[in-house]
Amino acid sequence: MSIDGKTEILCIFGHPVAHSKSPLMHNALFKELSINAAYIPFGPEPESFDDAVRGFRAMKCRGANVTIPFKTEFMDSDGNPRLVDELSPISKFTGSVNTLYWKDGVVGGTLCGTTTDPYGCIRNLEEHGVCVSNKKVALLGNGGAAKAIAYALVDQGNSLTIVCRTLEKGQALANGLNKANSSAHVDVSTFSEFQPISKNFDIIVNATSVGMTPNIDESPIAADCLHAGQVVCDIVYTPPHTKLLQMAESKGCKTVSGEGMLVHQGLESFKKWFPAETANKSNEDLTAIMRKGMGA
């Protein structure tokens, strides 16, 4: 990497952040696309995070990613933006930001916050040949990840059923989605009631942490909830081949692991920062570069 007087800086904010693979992905893209920029990790102490973002603005950095524990620091208790000037509709709904970018590409102008995390899930499915639009989708879970993915799925025009432990929590999320999107169609089911209706869905997405290492023998649903021809996607990527996906394969389902979500959410961020440089490049080519940069 060659640094000169015109090199632009991008970063990821996290604490801890040394484990992040984002610098490997984005710096690989800079090199391949001949973009004069560098992407580095910033790990401010939580009590100094506000100052860190002010520094980002003052130094006119080109863009940033945000990871744990800072994703929820950009909206005040009244739902108004803090530390940024504008929040995207999905960030307003979820209360989460993973990407900072400048409106219309004007560095130093209006700083915007959004989240590309849920679209990483959708692009991962699309990469595996799955059309994620106007489908009947069952989303397992109603936590933070599920909330964001649910918004993106509804935004794509899918008919969504949230599957969770209690109807009350699921209904609260469904009501919020239906209110946020006038064309939304969101229903709710409990896990205990899911099996009789499970055959009705084109796609099942696990947005819980069930099955994650070290609990690799667990699955959020039983095998009799899976049916040949369905697409089953798990956002868990450690292990890459979860118990849920193993059962789905044995039932004749198409399976999609969570490994691709990281590169796809990263690519969605990159397109916010460098729209012109990525306009004529395919997602497949760009994610290949990112995976190579990570050594994947």
Side-chain angles (χ1 to χ4, degrees):
M1 182 183 297
S2 177
I3 304 293
D4 61 28
K6 296 182 180 180
T7 302
E8 295 188 282
I9 299 298
L10 298 94
C11 67
I12 180 169
F13 290 111
H15 187 82
V17 76
H19 66 286
S20 175
K21 295 183 179 180
S22 292
L24 297 172
M25 294 193 303
H26 292 298
N27 285 316
L29 283 173
F30 295 151
K31 181 178 180 181
E32 188 70 24
L33 300 180
S34 299
I35 296 173
N36 188 359
Y39 183 109
I40 57 179
F42 287 159
E45 295 295 325
E47 60 270 21
S48 300
F49 180 64
D50 288 13
D51 289 336
V53 177
R54 294 187 189 103
F56 167 93
R57 297 185 70 141
M59 298 300 290
K60 297 184 178 179
C61 296
R62 179 68 175 261
N65 285 127
V66 183
T67 190
I68 296 171
F70 301 129
K71 289 185 179 185
T72 58
E73 294 297 316
F74 294 90
M75 192 166 71
D76 65 23
S77 58
D78 294 324
N80 297 312
R82 65 178 302 272
L83 301 177
V84 295
D85 303 309
E86 292 184 5
L87 288 172
S88 68
I90 189 170
S91 284
K92 289 179 181 178
F93 182 79
T94 62
S96 178
V97 166
N98 87 325
T99 303
L100 304 181
Y101 67 100
W102 299 99
K103 189 173 184 177
D104 299 324
V106 180
V107 177
T110 301
L111 185 61
C112 302
T114 191
T115 179
T116 65
D117 285 333
Y119 294 101
C121 177
I122 289 174
R123 304 296 175 256
N124 187 33
L125 281 159
E126 291 176 340
E127 183 183 48
H128 287 80
V130 180
C131 175
V132 194
S133 180
N134 299 313
K135 294 292 191 296
K136 293 181 179 180
V137 183
L139 180 67
L140 311 181
N142 68 321
K147 188 176 184 180
I149 292 171
Y151 187 100
L153 287 169
V154 168
D155 190 47
Q156 297 279 120
N158 297 285
S159 175
L160 181 65
T161 295
I162 299 163
V163 185
C164 51
R165 289 189 179 89
T166 63
L167 281 176
E168 291 78 11
K169 289 185 177 180
Q171 194 60 58
L173 176 54
N175 292 343
L177 289 163
N178 287 324
K179 182 178 179 180
N181 189 325
S182 60
S183 62
H185 180 74
V186 184
D187 292 321
V188 181
S189 171
T190 62
F191 282 104
S192 61
E193 298 171 337
F194 181 60
Q195 194 281 327
I197 63 171
S198 59
K199 62 181 179 297
N200 299 332
F201 298 98
D202 304 306
I203 303 171
I204 297 175
V205 178
N206 176 36
T208 77
S209 60
V210 177
M212 183 183 293
T213 303
N215 303 310
I216 60 174
D217 293 323
E218 297 180 1
S219 171
I221 54 177
D224 61 1
C225 294
L226 304 168
H227 307 274
Q230 290 179 322
V231 176
V232 179
C233 175
D234 202 332
I235 71 167
V236 172
Y237 58 89
T238 53
H241 202 54
T242 60
K243 179 70 173 179
L244 173 64
L245 296 184
Q246 293 174 42
M247 294 191 307
E249 282 188 355
S250 71
K251 288 283 189 171
C253 302
K254 180 181 180 68
T255 61
V256 179
S257 74
E259 290 178 295
M261 283 185 61
L262 175 65
V263 292
H264 282 285
Q265 63 82 23
L267 180 56
E268 290 298 305
S269 296
F270 196 89
K271 289 178 175 180
K272 290 285 188 185
W273 306 323
F274 299 100
E277 291 83 351
T278 55
N280 297 318
K281 303 290 192 301
S282 71
N283 285 358
E284 184 179 7
D285 289 343
L286 293 170
T287 55
I289 295 166
M290 299 168 83
R291 287 187 170 102
K292 184 178 180 181
M294 292 191 296

